[in-house]
């Protein structure tokens, strides 16, 4: 399991725009780089990132070989109701990781 860091507020007012920052530890090996034996290191990248807010997708991204190791993604969403944000990364070789964070929304 890769190490994921997610930074977002734990509370927000209804209708407030919040910033969410997510980073995951991953080598993002392109498949173009030779290893110590001179053979190409097989490609191993994260291909997809999705954030769902109480089951509804609020952000998604497709990642490619040009993305650096340990991809960092920052985006904004609107706090509408108290709930759970689910962050999912999917990649080559069956890589999949999901993290969850709770958001408590108070009156505006």
């Amino acid at each position: 399991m890769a190490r994921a860091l997610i930074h977002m507020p734990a509370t927000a007012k209804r209708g407030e725009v919040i910033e969410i920052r997510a980073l995951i530890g991953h080598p993002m090996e392109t498949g173009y780089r030779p290893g110590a034996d001179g053979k190409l290191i097989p490609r191993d990248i994260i291909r997809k990132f999705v954030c769902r807010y109480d089951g509804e997708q609020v952000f998604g991204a497709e990642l490619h070989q040009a993305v650096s190791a340990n991809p960092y993604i920052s985006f904004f969403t609107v706090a509408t109701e108290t709930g759970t944000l689910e962050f999912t990364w999917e990649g080559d070789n069956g890589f999949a990781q999901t993290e969850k964070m709770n958001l408590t929304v108070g009156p505006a």
Side-chain angles (χ1 to χ4, degrees):
M1 179 176 283
R3 182 173 181 222
L5 300 173
I6 299 168
H7 183 77
M8 58 175 268
T11 61
K13 295 178 182 174
R14 187 176 311 279
E16 181 179 350
V17 176
I18 60 170
E19 181 180 18
I20 300 170
R21 295 179 281 168
L23 180 145
I24 189 164
H26 193 279
M28 296 295 283
E29 190 58 58
T30 64
Y32 301 125
R33 189 169 62 94
D37 61 358
K39 295 181 181 176
L40 292 178
I41 298 172
R43 186 180 107 155
D44 182 15
I45 66 170
I46 294 175
R47 289 177 279 123
K48 184 177 179 183
F49 171 79
V50 173
C51 176
R52 291 185 174 82
Y53 185 179
D54 276 345
E56 180 180 343
Q57 182 175 330
V58 293
F59 183 84
E62 291 184 17
L63 307 178
H64 302 277
Q65 288 99 332
V67 176
S68 68
N70 308 320
Y72 169 79
I73 296 172
S74 177
F75 58 97
F76 295 87
T77 192
V78 177
T80 56
E81 59 188 50
T82 297
T84 302
L85 283 90
E86 183 178 282
F87 305 86
T88 303
W89 293 263
E90 295 176 359
D92 292 341
N93 307 317
F95 178 85
Q97 184 162 336
T98 300
E99 301 287 335
K100 295 180 180 179
M101 300 284 287
N102 293 321
L103 176 66
T104 302
V105 176

